[in-house]
Amino acid sequence: MIKTVSRAALCGLFLVARPASAEDAPQQDVAIHGQATFVAQGVGGFASPYVGDNSLTPRQLKETADVTAFIGARAWKGGEWWVNPEIDQGFGLSNTLGVAGFPSAEAYKVGKSEPYFRLQRAFFRQTIGLGGASETVAGVANQLGGSRPVDRIVLTIGKFGVGDVFDTNAYAHDPRGDFLNWSAVDTGSFDYAADAWGYTTGIAGELYRGDWTLRTGLFNLSTIPNGERLEHGFGQYQIDAEVEHRHQVAGRPGSVRFGFFRNRGNFSRFDDALAYATATGGAVDPSVTRRRMTRVGGYMNMDQALTDTLGLFARVGVSDGSIEPYDFTDIDRTAQIGGSLSGKSWGRAQDRVGLVLIANGISAEHRRYLAAGGLGVLVGDGKLPNAGAEEIAEAYYDVALFRALAVTLDAQYVEHPGYNRDRGPAQILAVRVHGAF
């Protein structure tokens, strides 16, 4: 761990030494940005009367580190190429298991003790103007500086994250800068297509007209649920659709998004897996009862500035709880509400404080499956005699040390981790160091 901390510290010093580029020339043709994030997260003691293969265990400390480059070039008017090579290292608590709303979105489903390389994104984006006014665009990670039409069509193709386009939120969508919990960063029941690192291949289209945006996308699922490899040619796929409306309330900006997803692939119904185990006398194994079927879900996502320093956000979501989740986590319904406050009123304008309350739930079929010893994407205590909603509170204070370096103190309280009233509550603390240019 000491070696990892040293690597992260050196990366942070390097990033601070580089100039920020949000005020580059009006038209950028080439851009290089970078980020480094280190998270140390620990959980104390809590009630744990029994342990399954996917249980959160008490009294542990884990760390993750990642360093990413964002390299972009303009191909022609409106066309941009981007690649994001990344080096990752570390593990989430209990090897990223035990809580459906997992407490660190910086922890992937694949952990390694030594640094390893991944090409997380490699995509092309084409913006097509529809006439009318233009707006200034700052040069940031995965966005060339310059200008773009307000009314436009945007096409993105290649390898990227579904969350790069869908279910975004001004206050809760960036585990390197705001909340860490998986079900705060995204709608917990949104079973978005992804490999074990959270990325997929596909195409997304967006239509911007005034205050409205319509989005749709087609993406490859992983070859098996929660898998490391992605499908090719959309043999198993996801279709996403979202409509967004931007507005002002008392002169302050806000937005509302309604989204829908449809997964088509080889899934198992929970009750089919249970019936097969009963008939054969074997363990509950959904892999033997998977067949071609469809799983759907939807969400609402909003954010609203209330003052110059305070913003409010909320999400609700639901998905088909009779069928196993595929690529995200074990949540069939979810609701969250929270806020973000800048430190301007106490003389720290770049600091931010955030608070979110989350409730995650599962269907009756899902509860029966876990009670019989079934394992989910992240949860599974071997039994579930006393099921309840997973309730999470997260608070953070993000301290801006320099323009390009911040340190965050994060605290989470998880009631009934893995939907198990016999387990917890878990109190989880984290320190995050993040540098970017």
Side-chain angles (χ1 to χ4, degrees), residues 85-315:
E86 183 171 285
I87 296 174
D88 297 308
Q89 181 274 335
F91 297 87
L93 296 173
S94 293
N95 201 23
T96 318
L97 295 170
V99 188
F102 192 76
S104 177
E106 278 291 280
Y108 302 124
K109 296 171 184 174
V110 176
K112 294 186 180 181
S113 57
E114 294 298 322
Y116 62 97
F117 173 85
R118 293 280 299 179
L119 184 62
Q120 301 291 36
R121 295 183 183 90
F123 65 88
F124 178 76
R125 180 192 299 121
Q126 179 66 52
T127 300
I128 303 168
L130 300 176
S134 295
E135 60 186 8
T136 301
V137 180
V140 295
N142 291 334
Q143 177 65 65
L144 292 175
S147 63
R148 65 187 178 193
V150 173
D151 290 342
R152 62 193 184 275
I153 294 172
V154 181
L155 301 175
T156 306
I157 186 169
K159 184 181 181 185
F160 54 102
V162 172
D164 296 343
V165 179
F166 298 87
D167 195 30
T168 64
N169 191 285
Y171 306 112
H173 196 56
D174 180 10
R176 293 166 177 164
D178 50 64
F179 296 95
L180 278 170
N181 192 280
W182 283 26
S183 53
V185 171
D186 298 290
T187 302
S189 59
F190 182 15
D191 191 16
Y192 61 83
D195 60 16
W197 292 267
Y199 301 91
T200 186
T201 53
I203 183 170
E206 303 172 83
L207 172 63
Y208 290 80
R209 277 289 194 181
D211 295 331
W212 293 88
T213 300
L214 177 64
R215 300 181 176 96
T216 187
L218 174 65
F219 302 99
N220 281 301
L221 296 173
S222 54
T223 54
I224 60 173
N226 195 29
E228 297 183 28
R229 294 190 302 111
L230 292 167
E231 284 283 352
H232 297 284
F234 307 101
Q236 298 185 101
Y237 62 87
Q238 177 175 88
I239 296 174
D240 293 310
E242 182 181 273
V243 60
E244 176 185 21
H245 182 258
R246 295 170 295 281
H247 57 262
Q248 291 200 347
V249 175
R252 305 192 184 279
S255 57
V256 179
R257 302 164 199 87
F258 292 92
F260 168 84
F261 73 87
R262 178 184 185 270
N263 288 346
R264 181 68 177 170
N266 295 318
F267 315 141
S268 174
R269 294 187 180 277
F270 290 120
D271 284 349
D272 289 348
L274 289 173
Y276 186 87
T278 300
T280 61
V284 179
D285 181 3
S287 67
V288 298
T289 53
R290 286 179 184 142
R291 55 187 174 84
R292 196 78 172 173
M293 64 179 66
T294 298
R295 186 170 189 262
V296 300
Y299 60 86
M300 185 281 293
N301 168 347
M302 63 79 64
D303 53 69
Q304 179 64 53
L306 301 180
T307 70
D308 290 341
T309 58
L310 178 63
L312 176 73
F313 67 91
R315 287 184 174 99

